[in-house]
Amino acid sequence: MSGSYLVQRLTGALITLLGVSIFVFLMVKALPGDPARVIAGVDATVEEVARIREELKLDQGLFQQFTTFLGDALTGNLGTSAKSGNPVAAEIAARLPATVQLAVLAIGVATFIGVLFGLFAALRPNSLVDYSLSAFTIGASSMPAFWLGLLLIIVFAVQFQVLPASGKDTWTSWILPTATLAAFSVALIARVTRAAMLEILRQDYIRTARAKGASERRVFIRHGLRNALLPVITVIGLQLGQLIGGAVLTEVVFSWPGIGRLLVEAIFARDFPVIQGVILVYAMMIVLLNLLVDLSYTLLDPRISY
Amino acid sequence: MIAENSPAIERFKANKASAISLVYLLVLTTMALLAPSITSGDPNQLDLGQVLEGFSGEHIFGTDHLGRDIATRILYGTRLSLLSGVGAVCFGLAIALPIGLFSGFVGGVTDTIVQRFVDALFAFPAFLMALALVAVLGAGLTNVIVAVGASTVPPMIRLVRSGVLSVKSEDYIENARSVGCSSSRIIIRHILPNTLGPIIVQATVYIGATIIAAAGLGFLGLGVQPPAAEWGAMLGEGRDYIFTAPHVLTVPGLFIFVTVLAFNYVGDGLRDALDPKTTKQ
């Protein structure tokens, strides 16, 4: 891996983070009224507002305010929640594990089912499995996540009463949120696996492997699957970022104590320090994941070097 | 653009799912536009004597927690959901089209900078972006259209730009330049019409996604505000009755699902019809 590629990727990641920081910083400025009052919240006393004005250096220039904000954020100081009065970083830290655990579990389940589904579809193109994959793909991309979640609750919690409708108390309460979140990635992972497999199976070296008498099974797994994995892993990495960010509605439907629900609660309470903090944390995680996916190319496929 | 009975139209008609979907969308749109002539009911008419009733002849989809007729609300909700979905795509396109055309046409450093920004925005999940914008703008139909529309801008810029790049080096562009056409004339008269096909296809598919996003905001209570009947908001309001009257949730959700499905099928059909090369084997 050449250094210039690494530098280019890192620069890209930094630009994204800088962009999000600027957006999050300007967000409060764009609101009507005094930013100090907006950040302090509706119930703040005059002293509190004055303290925040001092903290944010609101009497100084915009650029100076931004560097203060960025410096604070980089040192883990995301401000104080207007609603609870706790540090925003602590509130996020308390809710972050639930979001990450759910996303990781969902991507694990989605990978297992998706890769199997995609392999079977590629093995028998135009078969029933293949057709049901196309139907499932278009169905999943048309299904609002929150409605899928509500339907699962209606069936499994209301009708059959076998699974809890909300919370995170027992292992059974993980099943419905995971299924809701994984459904969309299953379709995508299966489709990419199928396409990559079909592409690989057309290659010359597959014909060579067959010609020299390798068994179908060996051709398929040893020569096909191994080479098809690269695009699949890319999709999995990118999907994990999307899942972490896209889980907001799933978290709300299942009252899951993650940062997505924290964000929605903060939007309703107009608790801007929390809104800013959660968006920054989301951006940081997604940028980091995308960077890892990019860099993992070279490790997974020695032919690729930048 | 496409002649009557052209192969493209024949191919679209041959795709049954797409053709049925198109008919469904046309019927749905017509019914939404003619809503007041179809039903004399008022979507916000309360009837506290008949709350959470099931399906019946009088109320074909039952009533909600305030005794409002769900069928009437669905019908009027179609207007809001289609308007927010189509509106968001138009808003996104209005921003992305000039940027994508310009970036792709001039190329060079400008293009690189624009693409870096697009890449940077692309990484951010669209719904999260819409949510962040609504946090600033506030709820309401216009803000939902703006927020959801803005979240479609990065992928659309990329789409428009790739269309420009694919026709930019064609001979007819070179010819137009050699007879002295100005850059803006080349972009508008020669590049735009030739890139419009894939843009229209993608826009159709995006309408499905924007309807889901707008409904998601409505569901959270951050979209079109009550008592307005919007499909997502109907789901959000009905959430508390999931244990007693699940039909208040199943019916609006089904309409979102089927309508988005129809947009996706129409998009698929258009793609196959306009570009037979990409047809699935």
Side-chain angles (χ1 to χ4, degrees):
Chain A
M1 189 188 307
S2 80
S4 73
Y5 177 74
L6 192 67
V7 170
Q8 195 192 331
R9 289 302 313 154
L10 282 171
T11 323
L14 285 177
I15 291 177
T16 307
L17 284 180
L18 194 66
V20 174
S21 325
I22 294 174
F23 171 80
V24 159
F25 168 74
L26 289 178
M27 187 169 169
V28 178
K29 307 274 163 211
L31 295 164
D34 175 5
R37 182 152 277 288
V38 168
I39 287 176
V42 212
D43 318 317
T45 62
V46 182
E47 289 78 30
E48 275 173 321
V49 175
R51 185 180 53 78
I52 284 169
R53 185 168 294 124
E54 176 62 28
E55 256 178 38
L56 298 175
K57 310 235 185 314
L58 287 180
D59 47 345
Q60 295 174 4
L62 204 61
F63 183 72
Q64 190 112 39
Q65 291 176 33
F66 178 65
T67 49
T68 309
F69 169 80
L70 200 61
D72 282 352
L74 285 176
T75 52
N77 176 7
L78 295 171
T80 310
S81 162
K83 200 171 105 190
S84 68
N86 298 328
V88 173
E91 296 230 340
I92 292 176
R95 307 281 286 265
L96 190 59
T99 296
V100 174
Q101 287 160 358
L102 185 64
V104 171
L105 184 65
I107 202 78
V109 171
T111 304
F112 182 72
I113 302 175
V115 168
L116 275 183
F117 204 169
L119 282 181
F120 277 111
L123 198 56
R124 306 245 181 287
N126 301 320
S127 66
L128 189 64
V129 178
D130 198 14
Y131 283 126
S132 55
L133 175 59
S134 334
F136 181 67
T137 304
I138 202 160
S141 64
S142 311
M143 178 77 99
F146 51 100
W147 191 55
L148 176 62
L150 293 169
L151 283 183
L152 290 175
I153 293 177
I154 291 173
V155 173
F156 293 101
V158 180
Q159 294 293 329
F160 295 112
Q161 305 191 352
V162 286
L163 292 170
S166 65
K168 184 180 175 274
D169 309 323
T170 61
W171 68 271
T172 48
S173 47
W174 288 72
I175 298 176
L176 295 185
T178 307
T180 306
L181 204 52
F184 308 90
S185 307
V186 168
L188 193 65
I189 292 172
R191 218 177 47 207
V192 172
T193 309
R194 174 187 180 276
M197 248 348 241
L198 286 178
E199 177 67 33
I200 298 283
L201 291 177
R202 272 200 292 270
Q203 300 292 321
D204 288 340
Y205 58 79
I206 295 292
R207 200 171 30 185
T208 310
R210 285 204 174 112
K212 71 179 187 190
S215 69
E216 262 317 285
R217 187 196 167 91
R218 189 179 162 85
V219 168
F220 205 72
I221 293 175
R222 192 53 204 257
H223 300 270
L225 185 58
R226 270 187 61 160
N227 290 301
L229 275 182
L230 184 65
V232 176
I233 288 172
T234 309
V235 166
I236 294 169
L238 297 179
Q239 270 299 293
L240 185 57
Q242 296 293 319
L243 277 192
I244 290 176
V248 175
L249 287 163
T250 308
E251 288 183 11
V252 170
V253 167
F254 292 101
S255 307
W256 192 259
I259 56 170
R261 224 178 93 215
L262 181 66
L263 176 64
V264 173
E265 288 163 3
I267 292 177
F268 273 108
R270 301 191 67 72
D271 188 348
F272 278 93
V274 174
I275 301 176
Q276 291 178 310
V278 173
I279 292 174
L280 272 182
V281 168
Y282 270 132
M284 223 133 49
M285 287 193 296
I286 291 161
V287 166
L288 212 63
L289 272 168
N290 290 354
L291 199 61
L292 285 177
V293 169
D294 271 353
L295 298 180
S296 67
Y297 281 173
T298 41
L299 299 177
L300 294 169
D301 189 344
R303 285 172 307 182
I304 300 176
S305 64
Y306 297 101
Chain B
M1 199 171 65
I2 302 165
E4 196 72 30
N5 291 328
S6 74
I9 291 186
E10 290 308 313
R11 276 196 299 270
F12 187 85
K13 281 195 209 154
N15 189 334
K16 282 204 192 70
S18 306
I20 294 170
S21 299
L22 186 63
V23 171
Y24 164 80
L25 289 178
L26 290 175
V27 171
L28 190 74
T29 312
T30 315
M31 286 181 72
L33 291 173
L34 300 178
S37 331
I38 294 172
T39 171
S40 55
D42 175 352
N44 296 323
Q45 176 66 52
L46 306 186
D47 183 355
L48 295 176
Q50 287 193 324
V51 297
L52 300 174
E53 298 223 344
F55 303 163
S56 67
E58 193 189 348
H59 300 290
I60 53 166
F61 291 144
T63 60
D64 71 3
H65 61 290
L66 297 173
R68 296 174 295 194
D69 181 52
I70 292 180
T72 311
R73 289 182 70 72
I74 289 280
L75 190 58
Y76 279 90
T78 310
R79 293 175 160 193
L80 291 172
S81 287
L82 288 182
L83 187 63
S84 41
V86 175
V89 167
C90 291
F91 180 84
L93 210 51
I95 295 178
L97 204 54
I99 299 177
L101 284 172
F102 181 74
S103 168
F105 186 74
V106 299
V109 184
T110 318
D111 188 40
T112 310
I113 293 173
V114 171
Q115 290 321 303
R116 282 281 163 275
F117 271 101
V118 170
D119 287 345
L121 287 172
F122 210 96
F124 215 64
F127 188 70
L128 211 52
M129 202 190 287
L131 205 56
L133 287 170
V134 163
V136 180
L137 299 170
L141 181 63
T142 318
N143 292 342
V144 166
I145 291 176
V146 171
V148 175
S151 71
T152 67
V153 168
M156 287 222 227
I157 290 181
R158 200 176 269 192
L159 176 78
V160 173
R161 176 179 171 269
S162 73
V164 175
L165 292 185
S166 69
V167 298
K168 203 169 105 177
S169 52
E170 294 283 336
D171 288 340
Y172 58 82
I173 302 294
E174 199 51 47
N175 293 344
R177 208 188 296 271
S178 65
V179 297
C181 284
S182 65
S183 291
S184 55
R185 189 180 162 89
I186 293 178
I187 292 179
I188 294 168
R189 295 297 296 269
H190 300 282
I191 291 185
L192 184 59
N194 287 299
T195 52
L196 222 47
I199 295 175
I200 291 173
V201 171
Q202 204 54 40
T204 317
V205 174
Y206 277 134
I207 292 175
T210 50
I211 288 178
I212 290 187
L217 292 175
F219 172 74
L220 292 176
L222 295 167
V224 183
Q225 290 299 290
E230 188 267 340
W231 294 346
M234 290 173 73
L235 283 174
E237 281 187 74
R239 235 187 113 194
D240 294 339
Y241 309 96
I242 191 165
F243 287 98
T244 45
H247 72 273
V248 300
L249 297 169
T250 44
V251 177
L254 193 65
F255 271 88
I256 301 175
F257 175 61
V258 172
T259 305
V260 174
L261 194 65
F263 274 110
N264 283 338
Y265 270 123
V266 170
D268 264 16
L270 281 177
R271 186 182 54 220
D272 294 351
L274 293 175
D275 184 6
K277 275 175 293 187
T278 59
T279 309
K280 281 177 276 184
Q281 321 98 345

